[in-house]
Amino acid sequence: ETGVTQTPRHLVMGMTNKKSLKCEQHLGHNAMYWYKQSAKKPLELMFVYNFKEQTENNSVPSRFSPECPNSSHLFLHLHTLQPEDSALYLCASSQAGQGNTEAFFGQGTRLTVV
Amino acid sequence: GDSVTQMEGPVTLSEEAFLTINCTYTATGYPSLFWYVQYPGEGLQLLLKATKADDKGSNKGFEATYRKETTSFHLEKGSVQVSDSAVYFCALSPHPSSARQLTFGSGTQLTVLP
C-alpha cells in the first residue's frame, strides 16, 4: 500500500461542475502539499499545509479551494474550472524537523475539464 | 531564492548505454538534494537523496554525488534499461527543520530503446 493515496485517479468534469480531489497519507507526516503538473511545464506548487494550517498559497485562483481537516487528509475542491486547468494534480506529504524533508507523492489525479 | 536547473531533454539512449543527467542548484545554507522519477501515468517516486556535501546517493544502479564546490548533483547510471524510461526530476530542500516545499527542476524525459 502506497503511503500517499489519491482519489480519484481520473476525473472528467464540465466547467460548471463542482468536484473534490482527496488525498490521504499513512506516514504520520505533519505537512501536506498540492502540486499541479501540466504538460511541458515544471511542477507548480499550489498549496502547503503545515500542522493543518495553510502556510502557502502560490497565487492560485479561487476556483481551487483546499481543505485540510486533519494532518492525514487533504482535499482540493474544484468549481467552475477552465479547460486550461486540465492537468495531473499531485498530493505530497513530508515530515519537518527530523532531518528528512523529502516529500512522498501520491499517484496523482488526472483531471480533464471539458 | 532557491532554484534547480536540469539539462533539457528529451534524452534518448540505447539499452546498456551510459546515462548522465546534469543538475545544478542555487540555494542558501546547506540544502538536501534529491532525484525523483516519474514513470508514465504515475506520481513522483523518490529515487535517491544526499543530505550533505560529498554524500553519494544510490538506488537501482543510479548514483549522484552532492558537490558543494560546483553546486551540482548529476545523476548517472552505467547501463540503462528500457524500464528506466521515465521523467527524472532534480530537487532540493532547504533547512531540514523546515516544512517548506521542495524546489524542483523542470524534469528530463529519458527514453531507452531496446
Side-chain angles (χ1 to χ4, degrees):
Chain A
E1 176 186 301
T2 179
V4 180
T5 304
Q6 288 187 245
T7 54
R9 291 292 308 276
H10 301 273
L11 177 62
V12 179
M13 60 185 290
M15 290 189 284
T16 58
N17 291 159
K18 290 184 180 181
K19 297 287 185 182
S20 296
L21 309 185
K22 179 182 177 181
C23 177
E24 184 174 2
Q25 59 99 358
H26 311 277
L27 301 168
H29 288 163
N30 55 21
M32 297 186 76
Y33 314 86
W34 279 116
Y35 286 87
K36 177 183 179 182
Q37 187 178 32
S38 305
K40 299 183 180 180
K41 291 179 67 175
L43 275 166
E44 301 173 57
L45 178 69
M46 300 176 72
F47 301 104
V48 179
Y49 276 83
N50 190 2
F51 295 101
K52 302 187 298 178
E53 299 297 321
Q54 188 181 125
T55 55
E56 291 201 36
N57 174 343
N58 283 1
S59 303
V60 180
S62 59
R63 58 185 183 270
F64 294 91
S65 175
E67 178 189 3
C68 188
N70 55 62
S71 58
S72 298
H73 293 85
L74 184 65
F75 294 89
L76 188 62
H77 304 300
L78 315 171
H79 64 96
T80 59
L81 294 191
Q82 305 298 312
E84 60 264 30
D85 296 324
S86 299
L88 181 68
Y89 288 85
L90 293 166
C91 174
S93 69
S94 69
Q95 180 67 22
Q98 294 184 356
N100 292 311
T101 53
E102 67 262 36
F104 292 80
F105 284 80
Q107 293 181 295
T109 295
R110 174 68 63 186
L111 174 67
T112 303
V113 181
V114 297
Chain B
D2 298 344
S3 67
V4 176
T5 303
Q6 284 182 240
M7 65 183 284
E8 291 192 16
V11 174
T12 302
L13 296 173
S14 298
E15 207 164 23
E16 300 184 1
F18 184 85
L19 169 72
T20 300
I21 301 178
N22 289 339
C23 172
T24 57
Y25 67 91
T26 302
T28 55
Y30 302 93
S32 295
L33 302 174
F34 308 90
W35 277 100
Y36 281 83
V37 58
Q38 185 178 32
Y39 298 103
E42 301 293 327
L44 276 68
Q45 301 174 28
L46 179 65
L47 180 60
L48 54 84
K49 67 177 183 180
T51 57
K52 60 183 187 293
D54 300 324
D55 269 3
K56 177 186 286 187
S58 61
N59 186 26
K60 300 180 181 179
F62 291 88
E63 294 183 340
T65 300
Y66 189 152
R67 300 288 188 198
K68 190 166 179 63
E69 64 275 13
T70 55
T71 62
S72 65
F73 193 55
H74 305 321
L75 182 68
E76 297 182 335
K77 186 174 186 181
S79 176
V80 294
Q81 306 300 312
V82 173
S83 57
D84 294 326
S85 298
V87 181
Y88 291 82
F89 293 90
C90 186
L92 71 81
S93 175
H95 193 280
S97 66
S98 168
R100 286 175 54 204
Q101 70 286 358
L102 294 164
T103 298
F104 285 91
S106 56
T108 302
Q109 172 76 55
L110 171 66
T111 301
V112 180
L113 303 176

